[in-house]
Amino acid sequence: MIELIFVVCLVSSPDRCTVERPQFQEPFVNVMACSRTGLFRAAEWAEQHPKYTVRRWKCEPRQI
């Protein structure tokens, strides 16, 4: 399984960043599937969290 990872920063303090591992309803079965939708998921997440901006996103194997 592949997970989508965001590096997000506060809009009011751009140097304060954290890593978010949002949970989506359907898991990504491979990196290609994650990569195809990553940008859209980042935009959705940013819309739902207006105090943050998504600085980076990446797809990697899910840690158990």
Side-chain angles (χ1 to χ4, degrees), residues 1-6 19-28 34 37 41-42 44-45 48-49 60-64:
M1 292 298 195
I2 303 296
E3 70 179 330
L4 183 59
I5 299 171
F6 300 145
V19 173
E20 289 288 325
R21 289 178 162 81
Q23 299 298 311
F24 301 108
Q25 287 187 340
E26 77 282 350
F28 297 107
C34 179
T37 60
R41 297 292 186 150
E44 287 176 349
W45 190 94
Q48 295 170 1
H49 301 85
E60 64 180 35
R62 182 172 288 179
Q63 297 176 357
I64 299 174

Side-chain angles (χ1 to χ4, degrees), residues 4-11 14 16-20 22 24 38-58:
L4 183 59
I5 299 171
F6 300 145
V7 174
V8 299
C9 305
L10 284 170
V11 171
R16 293 188 59 202
C17 301
T18 187
V19 173
E20 289 288 325
F24 301 108
L39 183 61
F40 300 109
R41 297 292 186 150
E44 287 176 349
W45 190 94
E47 187 176 297
Q48 295 170 1
H49 301 85
K51 293 183 180 182
Y52 292 88
T53 183
V54 178
R55 183 165 292 175
R56 280 186 307 227
W57 62 271
K58 65 180 178 176

